[in-house]
């Protein structure tokens, strides 16, 4: 028997969706997938008035938390940072009595203007994605969550439609495999990105 599906919460943060070429397509591909709750933070909170109790309730109901956003100034868009600051409360998410998130998993799904080659020591952006994402990784760890290698779509500037479509199909494949417990997490950790070689980490 296959393991039960693991419900997925996608926290989507893009402040200018009407201008998006890549995240819009990625989001469309997965938002109606069975087992997925798609939550557009900028749509829900255009004035940044985050409903903390509602967000904590959503987190409690899901097993895999996906943070999907464009890379802005080597980080998340502002509303996702605000969400972290308000929702991950002491005594709830961390601290000796803060155990609500323990055992859940976190996956960053990020698009970057810069190429993968630019995110290397000595290259244009000087640091690797793993280094730049350390605050998110460590935040997840502090909350007792399992941080997965990020799914990163590099080089969005000038990316053609076919390539965007290919990345969105990979995103769908990765989420379905995670939901159905068919993604080899140990093997996945050998790669810098979850989408480095999906064939190598997805079991059939
Ligand atoms: C305010 C802002 C900051 C950005 N910062 C970065 C950055 O630090 N690194 C990078 O590679 N691209 C950066 N970009 C480019 C975006 O990541 C890129 O346009 C986006 O991933 C494309 O996705 P979309 O088509 O869904 O908007 C930035 C773009 C904006 C508007």
């Amino acid at each position: 028997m296959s393991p039960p599906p693991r419900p997925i919460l996608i926290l989507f943060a893009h402040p200018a969706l009407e201008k998006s070429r890549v995240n819009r397509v990625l989001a469309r591909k997965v938002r109606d997938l069975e087992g997925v709750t798609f939550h557009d933070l900028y749509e829900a909170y255009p004035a940044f008035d985050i409903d903390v109790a509602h967000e904590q309730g959503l987190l409690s109901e899901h097993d895999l938390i996906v943070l999907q956003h464009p890379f802005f100034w080597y980080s998340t868009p502002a509303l996702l940072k605000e969400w972290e600051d308000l929702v991950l409360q002491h005594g709830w998410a961390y601290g000796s009595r803060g155990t609500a998130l323990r055992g859940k998993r976190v996956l960053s799904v990020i698009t970057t203007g810069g190429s993968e080659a630019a995110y290397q020591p000595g290259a244009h952006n000087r640091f690797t994605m793993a280094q730049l994402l350390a605050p998110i990784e460590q935040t997840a760890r502090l909350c007792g969550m399992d941080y997965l290698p990020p799914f990163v779509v590099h080089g969005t500037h000038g990316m053609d439609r076919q390539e965007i479509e290919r990345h969105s199909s990979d995103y769908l494949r990765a989420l379905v495999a995670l939901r159905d417990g068919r993604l080899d997490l140990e093997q996945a950790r050998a790669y810098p990105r979850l989408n480095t070689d999906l064939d190598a980490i997805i079991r059939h």
Side-chain angles (χ1 to χ4, degrees), residues 14 16 19-24 69-75 110-115 119 125 153 156-157:
H14 196 306
K19 291 190 195 152
S20 164
R21 291 180 63 240
V22 184
N23 279 282
R24 168 205 291 274
H69 60 90
F71 215 30
F72 277 5
W73 293 116
Y74 307 103
S75 184
I110 297 176
T111 62
T112 76
S115 67
Y119 282 95
N125 292 310
V153 176
T156 58
H157 299 319

Side-chain angles (χ1 to χ4, degrees), residues 88-100:
L88 305 179
Q89 284 173 333
H90 181 259
W92 186 81
Y94 70 102
S96 56
R97 289 185 299 125
T99 58

Side-chain angles (χ1 to χ4, degrees), residues 26-55:
L26 293 180
R28 203 189 297 139
K29 195 81 171 182
V30 300
R31 61 181 302 154
D32 297 324
L33 181 65
E34 198 186 335
V36 165
T37 303
F38 185 84
H39 187 32
D40 182 337
L41 291 176
Y42 277 92
E43 186 181 66
Y45 305 117
F48 279 51
D49 51 346
I50 293 172
D51 180 341
V52 172
H54 177 68
E55 296 303 312

Side-chain angles (χ1 to χ4, degrees), residues 108-176:
S108 280
V109 174
I110 297 176
T111 62
T112 76
S115 67
E116 184 156 36
Y119 282 95
Q120 303 300 330
H124 186 68
N125 292 310
R126 299 183 56 235
F127 299 98
T128 64
M129 288 300 288
Q131 289 170 326
L132 294 166
L133 292 174
I136 293 182
E137 174 175 1
Q138 180 52 22
T139 299
R141 292 262 158 90
L142 188 80
C143 297
M145 303 172 87
D146 183 17
Y147 176 82
L148 306 182
F151 184 107
V152 186
V153 176
H154 283 296
T156 58
H157 299 319
M159 185 176 273
D160 66 27
R161 276 199 203 167
Q162 261 183 327
E163 214 178 329
I164 296 171
E165 191 51 46
R166 184 174 61 75
H167 287 297
S168 64
S169 297
D170 283 351
Y171 184 23
L172 176 66
R173 235 183 119 198
L175 281 197
V176 169

